Amino acid sequence: MFCKNCGFSLKDGTRFCPNCGARVEQVSSEQPAAFSQLDDVGRPERDSEPVQLDRSEKNNGSGFDAGIEVNKQDTGSNIHMDYTMQMPYTKQTVNNQTMNSNSAFVNGQPVAGVAAKNKRKNKKLKYVIISLLAVLVLALGVVGGIVLKNNLHSGNIKSSLEAGNNYISQNKFSEAKTAYQKAIDLDKGNKDTYLKIRDEYVKAGRLDDAYYIIKLAKQNGVADMDAQLKDIEGKFQVEAIEDTASQNQDYALPMDVTLKLNGEEEVKAAVDWNKGAVNTSKVGTFEFAGVAKDYGRPVKLTLKVIAKISSVKGIMATVNQGEEYKLPEKVTAVMSDKSTVDMKVTWSTAKVDTSQAGVQKIEGTVSGYSPKVILTLTIKPKQTVSGNKMGYIKKVYEENGKKYIQVDEVEWYTGDQAIEEAKKDGNAEKDENGQYFVPDDYYMRDNTHDITTYEVTDSTVFKLLDLGGASVSAKVVTYDAFKTASVSGTSVSGSQLLCSISISNNIVTNIEEQYRP
């Protein structure tokens, strides 16, 4: 027998369907549940013969064979009639299965079971369609997300590039570099981004920055960058350096050179030279080409090979105690052909201490000359100076927590003494009466141009001339204002600040700009 609800095949006596759980009516497997008989409840088992109605009553024109068989049975007081409708015999195909219209079976299976099976198939098909739609929606979402993400990236790159360009126009190159790096980080493989940045740097004349950007693109795997690097390299100016070597001297080309990137930042750059060994057997001038490999800058070395150094003249120098002494950068070398050449010298110390009086010997080294070069420096004891001086202020500076002025002292005379000193020098003039005179009643002599250093303190009084009133007067100013005037000059002294200086025990107590009519 079969379940009425789902058509599942059941064993006789089953009370509940194991497939759908429906209660099972006990129906004989020989009589399918799809067609129930129209019996009265509780009738006894039929054992009478059916009564056949007249054939003319069977077909009522509706398409059905409306014949009815009537089973009569006498139950004593009532006559029970069993009617069974006979459907017209037709064939139908359902889901590629053949069934008879007057049969409750399809290909040997109950009609109810076929319907349930088809229902399950339709349900599965529904789930498949829903799943496909879900996958489609998900795919559209992913594609839309990718497109949105790409659009956002493009917008962010564009805004970062515009920010960098704006900084370039304001000469804020550090900020521009940060903005450009942000654009690059958003898409390191975007070739167009690198080229746009390069173009902005080239327009701004910053070829070193442009070269760096294209080199960064190449490092990040962007294709076709070698030609771009070559193009920028062709725009660089040649970095020219010079050096000198002695004949037959072992000479090695310098491993690096100092470059000034974009005319600002100084860096040490390793150089690849087109030649490895240098032949110094012949006297002459030779050129060597190379490239600062990390920066793409062409380098040219001009090497002058000169006769071998026979000797280097020692140096004698004198300085006053406490005064600054600057070591010379070159010394004079006597060559094997009797000529002299100024050679670079490297000293054993970078700065000389002159705080103590005495004699110092400082050693120096000259390339191609094995003996040491000796500089003998005599530091004269500081003399106690007091009184008044006149001179041009050459420098105002601070050192080791103290303040100093350097003065080019002059001789200053007024009145009759000015005339007498001018006559000695042949500079006195005569008036119409044959009398000697000097213009403006002063005479100044500056024959030595020696520079003397004096210390100033917080107690030193600084004065500059003030021409704002009816008469010229000296006005007290700060140390900083005086220092500025010593560089830029004043309306009275011009670019040379001439001052009278009062000194007590080598300390300046008062310094005042000198008025000259």
Side-chain angles (χ1 to χ4, degrees):
M1 61 182 181
F2 301 91
C3 176
K4 287 184 177 182
N5 186 52
C6 68
F8 190 76
S9 178
L10 305 173
K11 293 181 180 180
D12 291 343
T14 303
R15 298 182 62 190
F16 295 94
C17 177
N19 184 53
C20 67
R23 186 180 183 86
V24 178
E25 294 185 15
Q26 299 300 314
V27 180
S28 173
S29 61
E30 295 178 358
Q31 181 177 340
F35 292 89
S36 62
Q37 293 182 344
L38 304 177
D39 294 343
D40 291 334
V41 178
R43 67 176 175 80
E45 184 176 346
R46 181 178 63 197
D47 55 6
S48 59
E49 291 297 325
V51 177
Q52 180 70 40
L53 296 179
D54 187 82
R55 184 70 181 174
S56 62
E57 298 177 359
K58 289 184 178 182
N59 192 346
N60 58 7
S62 64
F64 291 96
D65 188 0
I68 300 177
E69 292 183 356
V70 180
N71 293 322
K72 295 180 180 180
Q73 182 177 351
D74 188 358
T75 61
S77 59
N78 297 311
I79 295 177
H80 179 80
M81 299 184 72
D82 186 10
Y83 302 90
T84 302
M85 174 177 274
Q86 299 296 319
M87 302 298 291
Y89 180 82
T90 60
K91 288 186 178 182
Q92 297 183 10
T93 300
V94 180
N95 292 335
N96 297 323
Q97 296 177 332
T98 304
M99 63 177 286
N100 297 329
S101 61
N102 60 353
S103 173
F105 292 84
V106 176
N107 293 340
Q109 294 186 15
V111 171
V114 173
K117 187 174 182 181
N118 291 338
K119 184 177 180 180
R120 288 195 298 273
K121 288 183 177 180
N122 291 337
K123 189 174 183 180
K124 289 181 180 179
L125 180 60
K126 180 179 179 181
Y127 288 151
V128 170
I129 293 173
I130 292 174
S131 299
L132 290 175
L133 289 174
V135 171
L136 179 61
V137 171
L138 179 60
L140 291 174
V142 170
V143 172
I146 293 173
V147 172
L148 179 60
K149 182 178 179 181
N150 289 338
N151 288 338
L152 289 174
H153 267 208
S154 298
N156 290 336
I157 290 173
K158 182 178 179 182
S159 61
S160 296
L161 289 175
E162 290 175 349
N165 297 345
N166 186 48
Y167 284 129
I168 288 286
S169 66
Q170 302 176 49
N171 293 329
K172 295 181 178 180
F173 301 115
S174 177
E175 292 85 346
K177 184 176 182 180
T178 300
Y180 286 149
Q181 188 62 52
K182 184 177 179 181
I184 291 171
D185 290 340
L186 289 170
D187 188 356
K188 293 185 177 181
N190 191 328
K191 179 178 179 179
D192 191 49
T193 298
Y194 296 100
L195 296 181
K196 287 181 178 178
I197 297 173
R198 175 208 61 186
D199 291 343
E200 291 299 320
Y201 276 136
V202 170
K203 285 194 296 184
R206 298 181 69 82
L207 295 178
D208 291 296
D209 287 338
Y211 189 84
Y212 165 80
I213 287 297
I214 299 302
K215 188 174 181 182
L216 180 62
K218 183 177 179 180
Q219 292 173 354
N220 288 338
V222 180
D224 303 325
M225 289 294 105
D226 288 333
Q228 303 294 336
L229 290 173
K230 289 291 184 184
D231 180 65
I232 298 174
E233 289 171 1
K235 293 180 171 65
F236 281 127
Q237 291 185 350
V238 177
E239 190 71 24
I241 57 176
E242 297 180 354
D243 204 355
T244 303
S246 299
Q247 188 176 9
N248 296 319
Q249 171 190 342
D250 290 335
Y251 182 86
L253 292 167
M255 297 178 62
D256 53 47
V257 294
T258 300
L259 299 178
K260 216 167 190 179
L261 302 184
N262 300 305
E264 299 170 353
E265 179 187 3
E266 287 191 353
V267 296
K268 286 282 188 181
V271 181
D272 282 339
W273 297 101
N274 60 359
K275 289 184 179 180
V278 177
N279 184 359
T280 61
S281 61
K282 295 182 178 180
V283 174
T285 301
F286 305 92
E287 291 185 351
F288 301 88
V291 176
K293 56 184 179 181
D294 291 333
Y295 301 93
R297 299 273 289 271
V299 180
K300 183 180 75 172
L301 168 66
T302 300
L303 179 65
K304 187 177 182 180
V305 179
I306 57 177
K308 188 175 180 180
I309 301 175
S310 297
S311 63
V312 176
K313 295 179 179 179
I315 300 175
M316 305 289 291
T318 302
V319 66
N320 292 322
Q321 183 180 357
E323 291 182 358
E324 181 183 8
Y325 179 77
K326 187 176 181 181
L327 292 165
E329 296 180 354
K330 294 183 177 182
V331 293
T332 302
V334 179
M335 313 307 295
S336 56
D337 61 358
K338 307 302 180 181
S339 63
T340 58
V341 177
D342 289 338
M343 303 286 292
K344 290 182 179 180
V345 60
T346 302
W347 299 104
S348 57
T349 182
K351 191 173 182 179
V352 179
D353 180 11
T354 62
S355 61
Q356 302 295 325
V359 177
Q360 294 187 23
K361 291 187 178 294
I362 303 168
E363 293 184 346
T365 302
V366 174
S367 177
Y369 186 67
S370 56
K372 296 296 183 182
V373 178
I374 304 299
L375 184 148
T376 303
L377 180 64
T378 301
I379 304 173
K380 297 188 299 183
K382 182 186 293 185
Q383 297 180 352
T384 301
V385 178
S386 296
N388 296 321
K389 300 287 184 179
M390 183 73 72
Y392 291 107
I393 306 302
K394 307 302 290 185
K395 185 178 180 181
V396 180
Y397 65 100
E398 300 81 36
E399 186 176 79
N400 298 325
K402 293 184 177 182
K403 302 173 184 177
Y404 299 92
I405 61 171
Q406 290 184 346
V407 183
D408 177 9
E409 295 183 358
V410 300
E411 299 175 47
W412 178 267
Y413 305 99
T414 59
D416 293 340
Q417 190 176 9
I419 296 174
E420 292 301 319
E421 296 298 326
K423 288 169 62 177
K424 292 178 182 179
D425 296 338
N427 293 325
E429 299 182 22
K430 289 184 178 182
D431 60 17
E432 63 274 12
N433 298 319
Q435 300 294 320
Y436 285 102
F437 76 98
V438 290
D440 300 319
D441 199 33
Y442 76 89
Y443 181 69
M444 184 173 62
R445 182 186 291 128
D446 186 12
N447 291 334
T448 62
H449 299 291
D450 289 339
I451 304 299
T452 306
T453 302
Y454 296 107
E455 183 181 351
V456 298
T457 66
D458 293 339
S459 300
T460 302
V461 177
F462 299 91
K463 293 181 180 180
L464 294 176
L465 294 176
D466 183 7
L467 303 180
S471 61
V472 178
S473 61
K475 181 181 179 181
V476 176
V477 297
T478 64
Y479 167 80
D480 290 332
F482 185 83
K483 182 178 180 180
T484 300
S486 70
V487 176
S488 60
T490 67
S491 58
V492 177
S493 297
S495 60
Q496 292 284 333
L497 186 60
L498 181 67
C499 294
S500 62
I501 306 168
S502 298
I503 303 169
S504 177
N505 294 323
N506 298 322
I507 302 295
V508 176
T509 58
N510 185 83
I511 182 168
E512 180 178 328
E513 183 181 3
Q514 177 64 45
Y515 175 70
R516 288 176 288 175

